Amino acid sequence: MKSKLSVVAKHVGVSEATVSRVLNGRPGVGTATRIAVLTALDVLGYERPSRLRGERARLIGLVLPELQNPIFPALAEVVGGALAQGGFTPLLCTRTAGLGEASHVGVLLDQQVSGVVFAGGHCAQADASHEHFAQLRERGVPVVLLNASVEELGFPQVSTDDAAAVAQAYAHLAALGHERIGLLVGPEDHVPSRRKLAAFVQQYALRGRAPHPGWVAHTMFGLEGGQAAAGRLLESGVTGVICASDPLALGVVRAARRAGLDVPGDLSVIGFDDSPFINCTRPPLTTVRQPIEAIGRAAVSLLVGRIDGAPTAPGELLFEPELVVRASTGPAPQRPA
């Protein structure tokens, strides 16, 4: 069985003698190499020597709620790449059976991470438990939240502007002649969904109207959730639907087809995210593109600044989304009164 020295040396690309010098605190090793060896110990699951346990590793936790929605792997790629360019090693944590977000935070704290980036999950759910965020604050671990989160957590946020996204989508459908526009969002305690709903109501109010109660639906995120909720919207007579994610939108398209409706002839559908390959669906999905590259790099820059002791500007960084028009939206159908 290989020794710890040889495994770490191979992982870092240095000699066993160099690893030994780092573990024994001897001089003659560069700072970058020393950090790389300590990080390798953490990644490979080896305990640090007691004299080195107080030094925080250059590890960054990236906590995602899931990987089924293509937007989260895309976000992980941007954040992970930016962290690697800064000399940090990302540790990806996703919700799995028997291991929730709080458990992941416990593992990250044991690994002495330098910081954590959360993208969705409990930080965006008003009714979820937030005790693990208090643990991070008490331990002085820098944290940045990606996309609208519970304000009481007190961490810096980098978000896509949900109000602007809804305004762009609504204006597009209105310009096509749609008057019965519906909204499909996530659970009621989901903060980004709350923001989208408030913006949706405002768009109707700006035109001197109010949406029918049946034109708004809450559901669980995912294609199945979108399909299940679409039935209620179709029964209410909407001709266009704005969705809070691309998988939700694809669920609406599937439900419309099974009801014998044409998209976009009978129903126009707009997604949110512009997930990879979403332009390959049938029909290609009109969606509101999140600026993933911009918000991901901004989150990393903000986190690294906090790690280095830079003062954190108050408030939330909002990034403008972009409507991408494809073939899932069209003129409102002509129906008898």
Side-chain angles (χ1 to χ4, degrees), residues 7-256:
V7 174
V8 173
K10 183 177 181 180
H11 185 87
V12 179
V14 297
S15 66
E16 293 185 25
T18 299
V19 175
S20 178
R21 284 180 176 276
V22 173
L23 299 184
N24 292 296
R26 295 174 183 170
V29 180
T31 302
T33 301
R34 182 172 175 276
I35 291 173
V37 169
L38 294 177
T39 300
L41 287 174
D42 299 322
V43 171
L44 296 171
Y46 293 121
E47 283 194 17
R48 295 185 178 199
S50 57
R51 73 175 72 84
L52 301 176
R53 289 176 189 169
E55 299 184 24
R56 184 165 285 166
R58 288 180 69 83
L59 301 174
I60 301 294
L62 174 57
V63 183
L64 304 176
E66 55 158 316
L67 291 178
Q68 291 183 343
N69 185 338
I71 201 64
F72 289 117
L75 189 58
E77 183 177 2
V78 172
V79 173
L83 287 171
Q85 289 176 359
F88 292 90
T89 301
L91 295 180
L92 179 62
C93 302
T94 60
R95 188 179 303 167
T96 57
L99 192 61
E101 192 170 288
S103 299
H104 283 310
V105 169
V107 172
L108 293 174
L109 288 173
D110 289 341
Q111 292 293 330
Q112 297 183 322
V113 292
S114 297
V116 184
V117 176
F118 289 88
H122 287 191
C123 64
Q125 297 171 265
D127 297 338
S129 172
H130 299 131
E131 293 181 4
H132 49 289
F133 294 103
Q135 290 181 314
L136 290 165
R137 189 181 299 107
E138 291 168 2
R139 295 278 288 271
V141 178
V143 172
V144 173
L145 309 178
L146 264 173
N147 279 332
S149 302
V150 180
E151 293 183 1
E152 291 74 16
L153 297 179
F155 294 119
Q157 298 183 42
V158 179
S159 306
T160 299
D161 192 331
D162 290 302
V166 171
Q168 292 176 18
Y170 190 102
H172 174 59
L173 291 176
L176 291 171
H178 294 271
E179 296 182 350
R180 298 187 299 276
I181 300 172
L183 178 72
L184 179 57
V185 290
E188 294 185 11
D189 73 327
H190 185 242
V191 177
S193 293
R194 287 182 175 181
R195 290 188 177 186
K196 289 182 175 69
L197 176 56
F200 179 73
V201 173
Q202 183 184 37
Q203 289 302 312
Y204 267 99
L206 290 173
R207 293 161 176 82
R209 304 172 58 205
H212 186 280
W215 296 351
V216 175
H218 292 272
T219 188
M220 299 302 295
F221 281 102
L223 189 147
E224 293 77 12
Q227 181 178 349
R232 302 192 297 273
L233 292 171
L234 294 175
E235 289 175 2
S236 70
V238 298
T239 62
V241 182
I242 301 170
C243 302
S245 76
D246 290 336
L248 285 179
L250 294 180
V252 173
V253 172
R254 176 192 283 181

